[in-house]
């Protein structure tokens, strides 16, 4: 069951992250009043990058769990193989691309850019550094070549335990939600206990801290799983609302999504409620929203993963090559002209083969599992372990 409006929402959220990183690269201060105008106006919807990532997490839980609802089984090995084949090869290529661009352009330009921009690529390039990026430790230095990969490291770690999350969320729905909420709350207290700041939300300097960062976001995947399991219930109730009430629900979701992010557990809860509302209303009403069903929005959704992965190294390379020569605004325009075709190329050359690889590997395993199940009926071997989508 593919929900096309969700694909488009994913693409729009990826575009928001791209725009936010461009926005953050412009210096503040005298002559840059427009920066605050965007930040403190409804236009901030275009720079709500952290909110977009929370939407990603909720969508991921929802979309990945959806095929396994209604009593359909999930074979652990097949799922892990297919999911990792989907996520990791593009991740690895994006890391290697970032290392190559850093090596080619260095950190020697873009003096007119903001201090935030110069926190990126502020490392010495080395083979061990690249390997630590590829391993996905998630530590601050180990995402420095391509900082947005922090959320993909969370996704990959969650993928390894996703079948367990489905099992917990379907059998002990309330308990799993409470547990995930406590992990989000507890992260704010555990971080200071290990010498990290309370508001660390992307990466930590220690492996333990990065495990806590991952645990912090589990609640949003769990919510997505519960949404998949209860889809018929909440979609039916949203469909029953009158036109005016529908607008109120969508409006409140957007307002909560745009709440100021202090990167604390409280702000994540507020923004997270907005993320849930956006995903739910997109599913319930999105088939009536022409924008989400338009060809450009569907295309953006298709290349969204590639766009998210490669935009930052391309932007950093553009800054270091062009900002001091042609200025930040023109550099941003040229970057936007390049990044979308580059995302399409990444999708065709890397993502599509990765998807095909995952289907091939899980298909082979699935064929073996089917043969095993047939033999099991004769009592010769045991049926492969499967986790039910129902409790």
């Amino acid at each position: 069951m593919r929900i096309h409006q969700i694909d488009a929402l994913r693409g729009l959220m990826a575009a928001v992250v791209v725009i936010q990183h461009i926005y953050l690269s412009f210096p503040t201060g005298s002559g840059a009043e427009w920066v605050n105008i965007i930040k403190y106006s409804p236009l901030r919807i275009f720079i709500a990058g952290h909110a977009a990532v929370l939407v990603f997490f909720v969508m991921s839980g929802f979309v990945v769990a959806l095929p396994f609802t209604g009593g359909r089984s999930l074979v652990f090995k097949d799922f892990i193989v297919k999911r990792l084949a989907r996520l990791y090869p593009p991740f690895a290529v994006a890391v290697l691309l970032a290392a190559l661009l850093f090596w080619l352009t260095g950190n020697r330009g873009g003096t007119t850019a903001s201090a935030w921009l110069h926190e990126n690529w502020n490392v010495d390039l080395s083979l061990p550094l690249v390997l630590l990026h590829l391993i996905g430790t998630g530590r601050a230095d180990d995402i420095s070549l391509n900082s947005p990969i922090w959320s993909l490291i969370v996704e990959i770690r969650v993928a390894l335990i996703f079948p367990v999350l489905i099992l917990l969320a379907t059998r002990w729905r309330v308990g799993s939600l409470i547990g995930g909420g406590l992990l989000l709350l507890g992260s704010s207290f555990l971080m200071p206990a290990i010498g990290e700041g309370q508001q660390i939300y992307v990466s930590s300097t220690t492996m333990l801290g990065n495990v806590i960062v991952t645990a912090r976001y589990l609640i949003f995947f769990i919510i997505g799983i519960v949404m998949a399991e209860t889809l018929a219930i909440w979609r039916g109730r949203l469909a029953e609302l009158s036109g005016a009430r529908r607008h109120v629900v969508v409006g409140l979701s957007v307002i909560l999504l745009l709440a100021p992010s202090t990167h604390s557990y409280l702000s994540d809860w507020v923004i997270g409620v907005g993320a849930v509302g956006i995903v739910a209303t997109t599913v319930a009403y999105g088939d009536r929203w022409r924008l989400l069903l338009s060809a450009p929005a569907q295309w953006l959704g298709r290349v969204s993963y590639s766009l998210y992965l490669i935009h930052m190294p391309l932007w950093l390379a553009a800054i270091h090559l062009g900002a001091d020569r042609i200025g930040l605004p023109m550099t941003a325009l040229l970057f936007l002209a390049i990044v979308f075709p580059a995302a399409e190329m990444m999708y065709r050359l890397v993502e599509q083969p990765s998807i095909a690889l995952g289907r091939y590997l899980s298909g082979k395993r699935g064929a073996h599992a089917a043969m095993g199940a047939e033999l099991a009926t004769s009592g010769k071997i045991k049926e492969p372990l499967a986790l039910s989508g129902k409790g």
Side-chain angles (χ1 to χ4, degrees), residues 62-347:
F62 174 72
V63 171
V64 176
L66 199 56
F68 308 109
T69 59
R72 283 163 286 190
S73 63
L74 185 159
V75 180
F76 188 90
K77 288 184 179 180
D78 292 352
F79 175 85
I80 295 298
V81 167
K82 189 173 182 179
R83 190 68 179 150
L84 290 184
R86 174 73 179 89
L87 293 175
Y88 188 76
F91 170 90
V93 169
V95 168
L96 295 175
L97 174 65
L100 175 63
L101 290 175
F102 183 36
W103 180 69
L104 290 174
T105 65
N107 191 6
R108 53 179 177 267
T111 57
T112 57
S114 67
W116 174 87
L117 188 282
H118 289 289
E119 292 175 1
N120 296 273
W121 283 8
N122 190 23
V123 290
D124 294 323
L125 184 64
S126 66
L127 180 58
L129 179 69
V130 175
L131 290 176
L132 289 170
H133 276 69
L134 291 171
I135 292 170
T137 69
R139 294 182 305 180
D141 285 347
D142 303 338
I143 63 170
S144 56
L145 296 177
N146 191 355
S147 57
I149 66 171
W150 75 267
S151 67
L152 273 304
I153 292 172
V154 172
E155 288 265 7
I156 291 171
R157 289 173 178 172
V158 170
L160 295 174
I161 62 170
F162 199 84
V164 177
L165 292 181
I166 290 180
L167 187 64
L168 294 175
T170 52
R171 291 189 178 180
W172 299 286
R173 189 176 300 160
V174 175
S176 63
L177 290 170
I178 293 174
L182 289 176
L183 286 174
L184 174 57
L185 173 62
S187 68
S188 295
F189 298 97
L190 289 173
M191 280 300 194
I194 65 171
E196 299 279 7
Q198 186 182 27
Q199 296 180 341
I200 295 293
Y201 73 103
V202 170
S203 65
S204 169
T205 57
T206 67
M207 282 305 302
L208 177 58
N210 276 282
V211 172
I212 295 172
V213 168
T214 300
R216 172 192 181 108
Y217 294 109
L218 282 179
I219 179 61
F220 300 106
F221 293 91
I222 293 170
I223 290 173
I225 294 170
V226 172
M227 289 178 69
E229 184 68 18
T230 59
L231 173 61
I233 298 172
W234 57 261
R235 184 163 61 177
R237 290 179 179 175
L238 286 175
E240 293 172 356
L241 296 179
S242 64
R245 290 182 177 179
R246 291 182 181 185
H247 292 312
V248 169
V249 171
V250 174
L252 285 176
S253 298
V254 172
I255 290 171
L256 292 174
L257 197 68
L258 297 182
S261 177
T262 61
H263 307 312
S264 66
Y265 73 91
L266 183 58
S267 71
D268 271 5
W269 265 124
V270 174
I271 296 171
V273 172
V276 171
I278 289 296
V279 173
T281 53
T282 298
V283 172
Y285 309 136
D287 57 351
R288 301 177 181 86
W289 297 342
R290 292 184 180 180
L291 172 63
L292 295 183
L293 298 179
S294 65
Q298 289 296 306
W299 172 82
L300 191 59
R302 189 176 74 247
V303 303
S304 58
Y305 185 41
S306 290
L307 178 65
Y308 186 86
L309 280 172
I310 68 172
H311 79 274
M312 195 61 181
L314 288 177
W315 175 233
L316 290 168
I319 286 286
H320 292 303
L321 287 175
D324 290 345
R325 296 179 176 86
I326 60 175
L328 274 173
M330 185 58 69
T331 301
L333 290 175
L334 290 176
F335 162 73
L336 289 173
I338 293 170
V339 70
F340 293 104
E344 173 70 19
M345 185 179 300
M346 175 81 165
Y347 174 76

